[in-house]
Structure formats: C-alpha cells, structure tokens
Amino acid sequence: MNPITQLKFKNRFVKLGGDFFQAKHPVPGQSPRLIAFNRDAAPLIGLDPEAETESFAGVFSGNTLLPGAEPLAMVYAGHQFGVYNPQLGDGRGLLLGEVENDAGESRDFYLKGCGQTRFCRGFDGRATLRSSIREYLGQEALHGLGLSTTRSLALVGIGELIYREHPEPAGIVTRLARTHIRFGNFEYFHYTNRPEHVTRLADHVVEHHFPEMVEDKDRYRLFYRGVVENTARMIAGWQAVGFGHGVMNTDNMTLLGETFDFGPFGFMDRFNPRYICNRSDTHGRYAFNQQPEIGRWNLFKLGETLQHLIPADTLQEELNRYSTVFNLEFQNRMAAKLGLTIADAEFESLMNSLFRLLAAHQPDYTNFFRRLADSKTGNTQDLLEDFHQRTGDLDDWFKQYDRLLEREDIDAETQVERMNAANPKFILRNYLAQRAIDLAMMEQDFSEIERLHQLLKNPFADPDDDRDGIDPEFYSADTPEPYRGMQVSCSA
Ligand code: AMP
Ligand code: MG
C-alpha cells in the first residue's frame, strides 16, 4: 500500500488523444475541508487506508495535484430523457487518471465538482454539498448491498457558495470507477460521423477491460454481449433492492455496468411500482418499473453506434439476451430474499403474486422481507400489520410460500439466517440522508454521514453495540408518514 503521493497512475485514456477529451486542471476551491474519507475503498487504488490524512483536503479538492495525475474532461453526448443531446462532456468533473492497485487492477480516480471545463455549458462546474453527501453515501450503500457500483473515496466541502434555488455550500466527491467511459462517449463519435473513433473506444475498452477477447475475431460482438449482460445484472439488482436511479440517460451508463452518477436517486419505502424518485421526471420515464426497459433501450442506442463493427442481426441477437440475463438475475435475487434456492416455474408464480400483493397493500418494501423472516420464528404480528386486511389472496400466498419452503428441506433457523443475509435491515432512506445533510449544512456536524456509512456498509447485520448513538431500531424503522415517497430534484 502506498502513501497518497505515491499512487501508481497509468493514464491510459490520455493515450487516445485530444479528440477524446480536454486536458484541464481542477479550479482551486477555497478553504477545502475533508468531511469524509472512506478507508474501505482506499485499497482499490493501492492507497494505504491508514495513511496520514493531513494533506487530503488539498488532494481531494483538486487544489494539490498528485504526482502522475494528468487531469482531463472527457467529451461525450447522450440521450437525455429520450432526446439526443449532441454535446455534453465532463462539465464539472475531471478524471485525474487510472491508478493501479496492489492486485494489478486499476480504478479511475475522478473528482466531481472541481470547476468549469470546456463542456460546462455556462454552468458553474460545481456540485452542491447536499448532492455530494447523497452521492458519497449512495455509492457505498449500493456497494454494501452487494450491487455493482462506482465507489466513494472521499468527500470534501469547499468554502464557496454556489447558486441553485438558494446560495448553498459546494462539495466534491472523489469517485472510483472501473471506467468512466459511458454509452454517451460512443454516441458522440457516432453522431459526429467518426466511426473510426468509435472503433478506437471499443478497442480501448476491450484491451483494458475484456482482455480475454482481444485476439478473438468476434471480439466486438462479445464486447457488446459483455455490456448487455453487465447492464442487465446491474438493473436486476436495483429492482430487487428497490433502488431508483432517477436519471438513466445514456451518458449516465458506463460500459462496465456499474451504477453511476448518483443524482436524484432513491430507495423505495412503501412498495410502489410506479415510484418516481426524480422530481424533474414529470412523465415518469425513469419510474421504478420502467428501469428494466430503459436499460434495454439504452443498450439499443449503444448498439446503433457499433453498426460498422457488428452486423445488425447480430446486434439484435445479442440485445435479445438482455431479458434472459435480467430475468435470471432478478429471479435468483428474489428467491434469495424469500429464502429459496429452487427458482422454477412455481417460484415464478409465487413471485408474481407477491408483487401483486405488495402493490395492493404497499408495505415497506425493505422491512417486509425482514418481517417475513421474523414470522418464521413465530412473530407474525409485525408482518400482518403491514397488510390492510387479511384477504383470501394473502392466505393463499402464504400457503403457496410454505409449500415452496418445504421443498427446501431446511430448518426454520437456517431459513431465517438465509433470509436475513439477503434482506437488508438498513437502506439509505431519503429522510435519513436528509438528516445527515441538514446537520452538515446547519451545524457543520458531519458525524451523521459517518454513522450512516457505518450502518450501510454492513446493512444486513445489527451493529454490535450502539456506539456513536447508532440506534438500530431508529435507523431501520419504516419511513415516517410525512417523508414517504420523497423526491429529489435534478438541479444539484
Ligand atoms: P449530470 O446531471 O451530473 O449527469 O450532468 C449532466 C451534464 O450536465 C453533464 O455534461 C455535466 O457535466 C453537466 N453539468 C451538470 N451540472 C453542472 C454544473 N454545475 N456545472 C457544469 N456542468 C454541469
Ligand atoms: Mg451525468
């Protein structure tokens, strides 16, 4: 493990040349302050988790440039809410470079909110502290749930007010990702009629992320297949945990299927298939139950940029795999939530009727599964309170469920253990994130960010003790009535 000044920067993206980015240094931020540092993510870039943090405010604000970093703003385009926007690009974030860790893997080291670039389109190049806190916690919450996501390394506040609805403080998140290359990077070169640059991007991704395909004559097909499959699995994970991304534009999807660019995201509280977490999404294009189909649509748009490399019918064939991979992953995840391992047709019917019941009764989606596990040890009270009334279809469902449990042939204790290992007790409820934000903004007290992080990095287990004021019952309770279905706006 290395100190912060000795990270192994490799900077492969730079080698693609100036058509792909603007070389740009961060704009210094006034009086930066380190709010959070995620020791768990440090080894991803070979950084010693116990490193001295004195210099970190300077480093993670971009004020001090690390030796080896070659910061750049990528150019990309993308479909936003279904409409093509020809020129986006990194307007407020910079890739400092790719850093190799001790296992020989590398991660992109990226600062989000570090000042204007050529692609800022008149915006200020900054991010609000509130959205930065949400992004910092959101990435780690999904990681804790075992989903594929970009990671948070650090969160810095800077002493500048920026203007949204009101003047407010700004923040910078250091994001680590397997890649920052988005569907939108491909679209930019496709729509500006430079297929040779699309090919170079594809070659770059294959060489560095799918090296086993490099020599294969079908490599472009296999590469597209890889993207289709990773994306399908990522979204199946979202659907299983009740996560709404909020802005599934093609510029917010990376080629490696990591959940990316956390903006107005949200975890569903009461089950509602039409849940819209993004207040700006007036037509519900990115509503919870639309996410799987939007993932497919985005992949179709990516496929269009590859037409000079892959025949149309082959592209279609590969895209058709999306639903198969999605369904398999989703069923496996739902089976695990129900403590089942046999995911056959009977299970599918059980799952479908469960979703009908959940939509009708709208219990807290996360806690429903913990209560279902509890009911196996005799506590059915909490579970039944979730349902408005004990209707016949509810009883039928429990009978069907018991029948499938019997096939598993395990004792109740193992059953409960299995279920509690697959169903989180803690999720990042919007109102909890908001409490952390309010405390940070009003009292410069950042301790709630740390408390939430501690819970969310291990969301399946109760904390061993209630140090630091962590009360498991409080943090795992259903969202209180006034805060249910909270939406967050895009403009942060
Ligand atoms: P996002 O909503 O963060 O995915 O951003 C969409 C596009 O708008 C990207 O090209 C961003 O770089 C750009 N953008 C968003 N907010 C800002 C800002 N405050 N300053 C500059 N560019 C921004
Ligand atoms: Mg974005």
Side-chain angles (χ1 to χ4, degrees):
M1 298 283 181
N2 304 305
I4 190 83
T5 48
Q6 285 173 36
L7 299 180
K8 286 191 218 145
F9 277 93
K10 296 204 300 198
N11 306 353
R12 305 176 298 205
F13 194 85
V14 174
K15 300 198 179 81
L16 287 169
D19 285 353
F20 292 79
F21 60 85
Q22 175 201 11
K24 176 76 179 65
H25 280 209
V27 178
Q30 285 168 29
S31 45
R33 167 173 188 173
L34 183 70
I35 294 178
F37 170 59
N38 181 12
R39 293 178 197 285
D40 302 334
L44 293 173
I45 53 165
L47 172 62
D48 179 359
E50 299 308 325
E52 185 50 63
T53 60
E54 207 176 317
S55 63
F56 282 12
V59 169
F60 295 122
S61 59
N63 291 6
T64 317
L65 203 59
L66 291 173
E70 292 180 73
L72 60 88
M74 286 186 188
V75 55
Y76 54 83
H79 281 82
Q80 298 186 307
F81 289 89
V83 179
Y84 185 65
N85 185 336
Q87 179 105 47
L88 292 166
D90 286 320
R92 56 170 165 177
L94 294 172
L95 176 68
L96 296 193
E98 298 102 308
V99 180
E100 192 174 284
N101 62 28
D102 294 357
E105 297 170 349
S106 75
R107 287 292 186 287
D108 284 6
F109 185 139
Y110 187 99
L111 299 183
K112 182 168 175 179
C114 61
Q116 291 175 320
T117 73
R118 189 198 288 162
F119 311 111
C120 67
R121 297 176 292 145
F123 298 118
D124 59 8
R126 296 291 184 200
T128 61
L129 178 60
R130 69 186 147 92
S131 70
S132 306
I133 293 173
R134 282 171 45 83
E135 184 153 30
Y136 181 86
L137 290 172
Q139 294 184 123
E140 293 309 299
L142 275 202
H143 176 69
L145 291 168
L147 268 63
S148 171
T149 175
T150 51
R151 301 288 304 278
S152 307
L153 181 64
L155 171 62
V156 163
I158 51 176
E160 273 165 46
L161 289 181
I162 56 173
Y163 292 85
R164 297 295 183 264
E165 282 114 46
H166 315 280
E168 53 177 303
I172 300 173
V173 170
T174 301
R175 170 163 77 192
L176 304 181
R178 289 179 192 275
T179 185
H180 275 77
I181 301 176
R182 312 152 192 246
F183 293 11
N185 295 63
F186 284 73
E187 289 176 290
Y188 175 76
F189 292 113
H190 173 71
Y191 287 98
T192 52
N193 204 17
R194 284 178 283 180
E196 69 287 357
H197 278 10
V198 173
T199 307
R200 290 192 57 206
L201 271 181
D203 287 339
H204 177 90
V205 177
V206 169
E207 182 185 342
H208 298 299
H209 301 289
F210 299 98
E212 68 285 3
M213 298 173 189
V214 170
E215 301 293 328
D216 201 307
K217 66 178 183 358
D218 280 336
R219 63 186 173 282
Y220 296 120
R221 173 190 191 145
L222 295 174
F223 149 71
Y224 184 61
R225 175 182 299 180
V227 183
V228 168
E229 292 186 352
N230 288 340
T231 306
R233 283 194 208 99
M234 166 182 79
I235 298 176
W238 297 353
Q239 300 308 114
V241 302
F243 174 81
H245 180 282
V247 201
M248 290 177 69
N249 295 338
T250 51
D251 52 298
N252 289 338
M253 313 271 299
T254 81
L255 268 289
L256 297 181
E258 290 184 312
T259 311
F260 182 66
D261 241 8
F262 290 63
F265 69 91
F267 283 87
M268 186 149 75
D269 27 64
R270 292 195 159 242
F271 184 75
N272 170 13
R274 286 180 296 279
Y275 170 52
I276 301 167
C277 54
N278 178 356
R279 195 186 302 141
S280 320
D281 185 8
T282 38
H283 297 290
R285 178 180 170 85
Y286 299 139
F288 181 73
N289 61 0
Q290 299 302 304
Q291 297 189 128
E293 176 50 25
I294 292 289
R296 204 197 61 82
W297 190 86
N298 287 347
L299 286 160
F300 172 73
K301 288 288 159 199
L302 174 67
E304 284 183 339
T305 73
L306 301 171
Q307 281 163 347
H308 62 294
L309 298 173
I310 311 170
D313 55 342
T314 308
L315 275 169
Q316 189 57 51
E317 231 175 89
E318 294 303 330
L319 186 57
N320 289 346
R321 298 167 68 92
Y322 177 80
S323 35
T324 315
V325 175
F326 176 91
N327 288 336
L328 189 65
E329 177 78 10
F330 183 65
Q331 286 194 6
N332 285 338
R333 284 183 177 270
M334 291 311 300
K337 285 174 81 66
L338 290 165
L340 300 170
T341 55
I342 307 168
D344 59 358
E346 262 196 88
F347 164 75
E348 209 176 327
S349 133
L350 178 86
M351 184 176 80
N352 293 336
S353 41
L354 173 62
F355 280 112
R356 276 195 298 277
L357 277 174
L358 293 177
H361 293 267
Q362 311 208 320
D364 185 276
Y365 178 69
T366 303
N367 287 338
F368 166 78
F369 290 96
R370 295 290 287 212
R371 291 177 185 147
L372 189 62
D374 269 359
S375 75
K376 297 289 145 210
T377 54
N379 175 15
T380 52
Q381 182 68 19
D382 290 348
L383 178 67
L384 293 176
E385 271 172 17
D386 269 348
F387 292 88
H388 306 313
Q389 62 203 55
R390 187 119 192 215
T391 50
D393 50 356
L394 194 59
D395 288 336
D396 288 346
W397 189 83
F398 283 118
K399 274 188 217 135
Q400 197 187 355
Y401 181 39
D402 282 341
R403 222 179 25 252
L404 297 206
L405 281 177
E406 270 165 35
R407 297 193 308 188
E408 300 283 326
D409 199 21
I410 48 167
D411 57 56
E413 202 180 319
T414 317
Q415 180 66 32
V416 172
E417 261 170 39
R418 260 193 199 175
M419 290 177 75
N420 286 347
N423 294 304
K425 181 164 172 130
F426 306 104
I427 55 163
L428 184 58
R429 295 174 188 273
N430 265 338
Y431 86 103
L432 293 176
Q434 192 57 47
R435 284 178 81 238
I437 290 168
D438 290 343
L439 213 59
M441 307 250 289
M442 289 180 220
E443 299 177 30
Q444 281 73 55
D445 177 348
F446 307 118
S447 60
E448 188 65 10
I449 300 171
E450 183 55 30
R451 275 191 289 277
L452 286 178
H453 181 206
Q454 290 308 318
L455 285 175
L456 296 168
K457 73 187 217 186
N458 190 6
F460 301 100
D462 272 326
D464 296 334
D465 52 47
D466 63 358
R467 255 178 316 147
D468 302 329
I470 293 181
D471 168 8
E473 294 321 308
F474 171 78
Y475 286 99
S476 64
D478 288 9
T479 303
E481 178 88 50
Y483 305 119
R484 283 179 199 152
M486 228 166 108
Q487 292 183 314
V488 178
S489 121
C490 228
S491 64

